[in-house]
Amino acid sequence: VRGSGGSIFALGDAALVRHDRTEPFAEQLFKAADLNGNGELDLLELRELFIGAADAFPQLEDYAAYLKEVVEVPTEDDSRMAKIAKIFEESFEREKLAFRKALSLTSQMVGDRTKRTAKEAVAAEVDQVLEHDKASMNLEEFRRLLVGIDKNLQHFPPTAQIAAQQGKYLAGLLSEGVIDGTQESYAKTMGSKPGFSYFHKGSLAYLGGGSAAFDLPIIGAVTGPAAGVVWKLYETSAQLSLKNAALVGLDW
């Protein structure tokens, strides 16, 4: 639980797992990007900041992509080489996004739970902050932009599937025997452990009359009697003992 120093843990319906917001780091990010120290960020500085910080704050990715497209970086290189470099850069970005999308099918981090923002919406947000056709923004305007960006953060849905995986993850942390309720022990444990990742196994629901519906990654939605058979097989195999599995299977 945030603010507990590693002494209180929550999971399932009692917890919302959310990635770090950018707004609390507004001043730190602003100072890092304000290279000339004039107290203002122009679009080029904002572009470089968002590109560099997108790995730490995934909610910045769509904004970084928009600024890369509309803000040109001044260069003395041959214009033909610059165009070639841009083509390779765009190709690399597409491969990177495709890889992350494929990876999220099996292992989804909370940072992946970010609502995508269309370029038009990004442009509107930036223009709204840059009032009166200004070419730069001050700290308060920058902070206002980050507040809007953080609204794209999403948390994991409160389902039993997620709660079960969170329980296993937390049990693994506590089994290390290092966490003792202090911030130091928590930081030491998390420094050597990856963050929680969610493996979506699909959704399954019984509809009655021998029919069911399930939604699996890649495959998509399936409904009807065949899905009902799958539901019965899953519920039977999910029992903790052979006795219970036999009783459930015979009860269909």
Side-chain angles (χ1 to χ4, degrees):
V1 176
R2 292 177 184 270
S4 70
S7 60
I8 303 174
F9 296 88
L11 52 82
D13 292 352
L16 293 179
V17 182
R18 187 190 66 195
H19 197 77
D20 285 335
R21 294 181 295 121
T22 56
E23 192 274 332
F25 302 93
E27 187 171 353
Q28 181 179 345
L29 292 170
F30 188 89
K31 289 181 178 179
D34 186 15
L35 300 179
N36 56 14
N38 67 346
E40 297 275 338
L41 292 186
D42 58 33
L43 289 180
L44 179 58
E45 291 173 322
L46 191 66
R47 174 190 188 274
E48 297 305 311
L49 171 65
F50 281 6
I51 292 174
D55 286 338
F57 300 103
Q59 61 267 41
L60 296 177
E61 284 185 355
D62 290 335
Y63 296 79
Y66 166 74
L67 292 172
K68 285 175 69 174
E69 182 175 314
V70 301
V71 179
E72 294 186 5
V73 179
T75 176
E76 297 180 357
D77 297 335
D78 189 321
S79 60
R80 293 170 299 177
M81 293 301 297
K83 290 180 180 179
I84 294 174
K86 185 176 181 180
I87 292 173
F88 276 105
E89 183 180 7
E90 291 175 349
S91 176
F92 174 76
E93 285 298 324
R94 287 194 296 269
E95 293 292 334
K96 179 181 174 182
L97 290 174
F99 174 77
R100 289 188 61 176
K101 186 176 181 179
L103 184 63
S104 68
L105 293 175
T106 58
S107 181
Q108 190 176 68
M109 303 291 287
V110 69
D112 299 321
R113 302 284 301 176
T114 303
K115 183 173 66 176
R116 309 310 302 181
T117 308
K119 292 179 181 179
E120 295 77 11
V122 174
E125 285 189 52
V126 175
D127 289 341
Q128 187 175 8
V129 172
L130 294 174
E131 301 172 351
H132 310 298
D133 297 325
K134 289 170 47 179
S136 61
M137 64 182 70
N138 59 32
L139 176 58
E140 289 308 312
E141 291 167 334
F142 176 67
R143 190 187 302 275
R144 195 162 69 244
L145 176 63
L146 294 185
V147 169
I149 292 175
D150 286 339
K151 291 180 180 179
N152 296 319
L153 289 172
Q154 297 176 319
H155 51 75
F156 290 120
T159 64
Q161 187 178 165
I162 290 179
Q165 294 184 34
Q166 289 175 339
K168 291 180 180 179
Y169 175 77
L170 180 57
L173 291 181
L174 297 177
S175 67
E176 297 288 324
V178 178
I179 296 179
D180 59 9
T182 63
Q183 177 68 40
E184 292 74 15
S185 63
Y186 174 73
K188 181 178 180 181
T189 301
M190 294 307 297
S192 60
K193 295 288 183 180
F196 171 72
S197 62
Y198 166 55
F199 171 46
H200 182 57
K201 301 177 182 178
S203 302
L204 185 62
Y206 186 61
L207 303 178
S211 295
F214 64 85
D215 182 25
L216 295 175
I218 302 177
I219 296 177
V222 179
T223 61
V229 173
V230 174
W231 181 81
K232 292 175 181 180
L233 291 173
Y234 172 76
E235 290 296 329
T236 301
S237 64
Q239 302 304 308
L240 298 178
S241 67
L242 292 176
K243 177 182 177 180
N244 285 348
L247 291 173
V248 171
L250 293 173
D251 193 45
W252 297 127

